[in-house]
Amino acid sequence: MAWIREADDERDLYNLKSLHYEKLKGNRAHQRSMRINDQFRLIVELESSAQGSVVVVVGIEDYH
């Protein structure tokens, strides 16, 4: 979570290869995911605010 808090923008999350940060597709195209471990992914949405983008955690999903 510290990496997410310290990120200046979405590019910082993409640059952390271990997170496997990616846009989702289809009806979830407005969401992003990042790997917690081999089994779970953190699902987030980006919202605009006066300070810039804010990461909102939507949930944790089991991808297996």
Side-chain angles (χ1 to χ4, degrees):
M1 294 305 290
W3 290 339
I4 297 170
R5 285 187 193 108
E6 292 176 7
D8 291 328
D9 58 24
E10 193 173 15
R11 293 175 293 187
D12 288 344
L13 298 173
Y14 277 115
N15 287 333
L16 294 168
K17 302 297 182 193
S18 63
L19 291 179
H20 296 273
Y21 182 76
E22 60 188 7
K23 293 180 183 178
L24 298 179
K25 298 178 182 175
N27 62 348
R28 299 180 88 181
H30 62 286
Q31 296 178 332
R32 311 291 191 265
S33 74
M34 54 186 85
R35 184 175 290 172
I36 295 175
N37 59 27
D38 289 338
Q39 184 176 1
F40 293 100
R41 289 191 164 273
L42 185 67
I43 307 300
V44 299
E45 293 179 2
L46 299 177
E47 294 183 358
S48 298
S49 73
Q51 296 84 13
S53 292
V54 176
V55 175
V56 177
V57 176
V58 176
I60 298 174
E61 294 188 4
D62 182 350
Y63 269 68
H64 294 236

